[in-house]
Amino acid sequence: MDKLNLAVLYGGKSGEHEVSRRSAASVLRQLDRDRYAVTAIGIDRSGAWHLQPEPVFETLANGDPALVIVPSDQPVAIVPAAGLWHGGARLAVDCVFPVLHGSHGEDGKLQGALDTAGLAYVGAGVLGSSAAMDKAVAKSLWRDAGLPVVDFRVVGAGAGPDVLAEALQAFGWPLFVKPCSAGSSLGASRANTAAELEAALAEALRHDTRALIEPCLDVRELECSVLGNEEITVFPPGEIVPNASHSFYDYEAKYADPDGASLHAVAQIDARLQQSIMDLARAAYAAVRCEGLGRVDFFLDKKTGRLFLNEINTLPGFTSISMYPRMCAAGGLDYAELLDRLIRLALQRGPGLAI
Ligand SMILES: Nc1ncnc2c1ncn2[C@@H]1O[C@H](COP(=O)(O)OP(=O)(O)O)[C@@H](O)[C@H]1O
Ligand SMILES: [Mg+2]
């Protein structure tokens, strides 16, 4: 059987560069080399693409494996209607797997470039990626579709005191502030006072030009793996329980503190709640035009018992301990099989120029 030529992209310009290198290490370890001829391409923090003749692994300070980006003088070029090139030769690529999180990888920009180059790729297309990346856009689409979201206001750098006063009047303290487009909790914080709100906004606006202000809820955090193009598979939800030493599921709890959170691949919830979450996940995935894969995240308000959609990640964390692959595995699809399914879904949709 001929091997499929798979280009794996990792690293990238976003704040989630390092997480991507960890995800890519897992993906490369799990890909069946009898089926795939893998070309690894590391994207450095400036956005330059480096061909990796042989993928190089390192072990990070916390013990996690990560893929190294070995610099090369010759950049990889992405060429309209002609795929990927290096050193004057076209690279053999049947499918691209962008193992990238956040801006410039998960937000539709790369997807548009891959479409223009005529390459098939894993994950959502331009519209689904960009709609999902911007939390204000995703939440507006969900609200329009009649799906439950935590109420919010969108503010930019010029937000006057009246806008903030209105948000406060509507929601009361504490408030939660986060960038519209970011991830890994970067730029997210809660605010209990006017001074904290000012600082929270300044921090959020370091990551994006617009920020969301929401009521800060006391929540259980539940999430669901979803897979598919037109035909969608939803896996039973899992739950993340941040350690009490973190006031919410912040960056440190996610990646730096080994005891930052307990990740339960299967949430301990009753059958009715499980079904509601899975139904909502399916509707949310379709409403933002997601394709390939998506992790739909929920809040369950501890006070009222109400369930809300929080966000959808179109290229969620993919390390061996990440929730997306673990929830799929708990639902019967192990990591290596999951990679096969994602690549099949990418090929089924085909390269952008073919549509
Ligand atoms: N309205 C809110 N109330 C309470 N906590 C929140 C709220 N919004 C976000 N959080 C906390 O911040 C974390 C990160 O926010 P999220 O919207 O998931 O953005 P990111 O894309 O950075 O993961 C959530 O997992 C949750 O712990
Ligand atoms: Mg999140």
Side-chain angles (χ1 to χ4, degrees):
M1 192 179 76
D2 274 354
K3 291 188 188 182
L4 187 102
N5 296 302
L6 186 74
V8 174
L9 305 184
Y10 65 94
K13 281 173 83 172
S14 84
E16 294 168 279
H17 174 97
E18 192 181 293
V19 185
S20 158
R21 296 204 292 113
R22 295 190 213 187
S23 291
S26 284
V27 169
L28 279 186
R29 289 224 163 119
Q30 294 278 350
L31 276 170
D32 181 351
R33 297 310 176 93
D34 291 334
R35 302 180 66 165
Y36 304 108
V38 176
T39 301
I41 299 172
I43 305 179
D44 68 24
R45 289 180 194 273
S46 77
W49 294 26
H50 303 275
L51 186 66
Q52 309 291 297
E54 208 35 63
V56 177
F57 292 83
E58 69 173 337
T59 304
L60 299 173
N62 69 352
D64 281 354
L67 219 54
V68 177
I69 297 173
V70 181
S72 72
D73 298 338
Q74 289 261 16
V76 174
I78 180 160
V79 180
L84 302 182
W85 288 68
H86 182 258
R90 184 171 181 165
L91 298 174
V93 177
D94 302 311
C95 182
V96 175
F97 194 151
V99 188
L100 296 163
H101 312 305
S103 56
H104 301 280
E106 191 175 350
D107 61 1
K109 293 176 182 142
L110 173 75
Q111 287 71 14
L114 294 173
D115 283 341
T116 306
L119 290 164
Y121 53 91
V122 169
V126 172
L127 180 60
S129 301
S130 55
M133 187 70 203
D134 189 303
K135 293 179 170 73
V137 172
K139 285 170 64 126
S140 302
L141 287 171
W142 289 336
R143 198 168 50 184
D144 288 352
L147 306 175
V149 295
V150 176
D151 202 0
F152 63 100
R153 299 289 184 272
V154 182
V155 297
D162 47 332
V163 179
L164 303 184
E166 192 280 323
L168 182 58
Q169 168 112 46
F171 306 145
W173 300 113
L175 293 168
F176 202 90
V177 181
K178 55 195 177 187
C180 284
S181 294
S184 294
S185 300
L186 293 166
S189 55
R190 50 188 295 168
N192 292 294
T193 63
E196 282 181 13
L197 177 59
E198 198 181 319
L201 271 173
E203 179 54 26
L205 292 171
R206 281 193 333 114
H207 297 268
D208 190 12
T209 52
R210 290 146 65 246
L212 291 175
I213 301 180
E214 298 179 351
C216 182
L217 305 177
D218 185 14
V219 293
R220 283 179 74 178
E221 303 201 37
L222 299 151
E223 46 194 54
C224 227
S225 293
V226 185
L227 185 78
N229 295 338
E230 280 97 53
E231 207 177 293
I232 298 170
T233 307
V234 182
F235 293 87
E239 178 166 11
I240 285 172
V241 184
N243 187 302
S245 62
H246 298 266
S247 72
F248 66 97
Y249 192 34
D250 59 13
Y251 186 89
E252 278 66 38
K254 284 179 181 174
Y255 305 112
D257 176 358
D259 304 315
S262 311
L263 308 182
H264 304 281
V266 179
Q268 295 305 312
I269 49 176
D270 65 44
R272 251 183 60 195
L273 179 58
Q274 185 186 76
Q275 194 57 52
S276 308
I277 290 174
M278 291 173 73
D279 291 346
L280 274 179
R282 178 183 297 275
Y285 187 88
V288 299
R289 304 287 302 273
C290 197
E291 294 168 291
L293 74 162
R295 198 193 69 220
V296 183
D297 297 353
F298 295 84
F299 288 155
L300 182 69
D301 188 336
K302 288 184 188 167
K303 217 158 72 189
T304 62
R306 289 184 63 195
L307 183 65
F308 298 102
L309 285 161
N310 178 42
E311 62 157 340
I312 176 166
N313 291 283
T314 53
L315 290 170
F318 237 92
T319 71
S320 55
I321 60 149
S322 291
M323 285 296 274
Y324 185 87
R326 285 186 57 213
M327 290 187 292
C328 292
L333 187 66
D334 76 27
Y335 196 112
E337 268 179 281
L338 168 62
L339 296 178
D340 291 341
R341 279 280 288 276
L342 292 173
I343 293 160
R344 273 211 305 278
L345 285 167
L347 296 174
Q348 187 189 79
R349 206 181 47 180
L353 289 185
I355 308 174

